[in-house]
Amino acid sequence: MTSSTPALDTRRPLGPLPQAVLLDMDGTLVDTEGFWWDAEVEVFGALGHVLAEEHREVVVGGPMTRSAGYLIEVTGADIGLDALRDLLNEAFLRRLDRGVPLMPGARRLLTELAAHEVPTALVSASHRTVIDRILRSLGPEFFACTVAGDDIERTKPHPDPYLTAALRLGAEPARCVAVEDTATGVASAEAAGCPVVVVPSVAAVPAAPGRTVVRSLEEVDLAFLRSLVPAPPVGPGQEPQVTAVPDRRP
């Protein structure tokens, strides 16, 4: 029998396990960023407005209130913020009911983290109703906790979502790794003090100190995440602990 979980061996040294891995949802684990844009185009079309493609990069990854408010402003649509949020959520949920595709590498990464008992949190700006529906496709058993945009007063790009997830898991943000796909989510995770892996979806996100950009989750495994976690302080007279990373050479 074969396993989708790589085994750790003793060929190359690396850092400690992350205390937790904190994962964004839309565009990172599930391929839904296009769903949101399609919902926005549909709703504004019904209101008599055509959304220009240039607005897509502005709203991607942002909280519903900010995105909806921005689109009302740039289109001049005659609708209130609360009513628009309801229409957008309804249009988005209709698309979710047709099925939610996972991003390449997402299932394998979640399986590997679970096999090595690394606590994992889902940290999203989406509302709780959306998260709970998508969890059916992702598998709720993979997550020790979930943080939704409407669970807290301030969502992304504020640090609160990632600080909340780390607190619930009893972890230090600096010893967690956050995985994000948008500049808004990256800003949130970095403000919380997390090292960040970026898997850009719609808009490019540049590399920066404390931030690693990859092309796909297929490039991310436990060994890679361990290489991003700072080693714990070594007390006087103590030797630093060294563990191992899989050697991927044939």
Side-chain angles (χ1 to χ4, degrees), residues 17-231:
L17 284 170
Q19 288 186 347
V21 177
L22 315 176
L23 295 136
D24 174 56
M25 185 178 71
D26 295 300
T28 300
L29 290 176
V30 289
D31 191 6
T32 51
E33 290 294 5
F35 285 24
W36 277 115
W37 179 246
D38 290 345
E40 288 157 352
V41 169
E42 174 191 319
V43 168
F44 276 88
L47 294 171
H49 299 275
V50 177
L51 294 184
E53 187 70 21
E54 68 194 60
H55 301 311
R56 184 173 186 176
E57 290 191 9
V58 178
V59 300
V60 65
M64 172 72 76
T65 299
R66 190 197 73 183
S67 298
Y70 168 82
L71 292 173
I72 290 174
E73 180 179 352
V74 297
T75 62
D78 185 18
I79 189 171
L81 187 59
D82 290 342
L84 178 57
R85 282 200 308 253
D86 289 344
L87 290 176
L88 290 174
N89 269 319
E90 289 168 7
F92 183 71
L93 291 174
R94 285 196 299 271
R95 284 161 173 77
L96 293 186
D97 288 339
R98 301 170 195 159
V100 182
L102 272 59
M103 298 297 285
R107 179 71 66 196
R108 189 266 314 149
L109 177 59
L110 291 173
T111 300
E112 182 178 8
L113 293 173
H116 292 284
E117 299 182 346
V118 177
T120 304
L122 190 65
V123 184
S124 176
S126 293
H127 285 191
R128 173 58 56 186
T129 53
V130 172
I131 285 183
D132 288 346
R133 195 166 302 204
I134 290 179
L135 276 173
R136 300 172 194 166
S137 297
L138 280 173
E141 68 276 7
F142 288 117
F143 302 98
C145 77
T146 61
V147 179
D150 53 345
D151 287 347
I152 50 182
E153 287 189 15
R154 301 192 310 172
T155 187
K156 302 173 185 180
H158 298 287
D160 305 36
Y162 283 99
L163 292 175
T164 299
L167 180 63
R168 290 180 182 176
L169 296 176
E172 303 171 43
R175 300 186 60 75
C176 300
V177 179
V179 185
E180 273 283 355
D181 72 308
T182 66
T184 298
V186 170
S188 174
E190 289 181 340
C194 302
V196 182
V197 176
V198 190
V199 192
S201 57
V202 175
V205 180
R211 178 193 309 171
T212 304
V213 180
V214 298
R215 291 169 297 182
S216 164
L217 283 181
E218 293 182 319
E219 298 179 25
V220 180
D221 60 11
L222 182 55
F224 177 78
L225 296 173
R226 292 177 74 165
S227 71
L228 305 178
V229 179

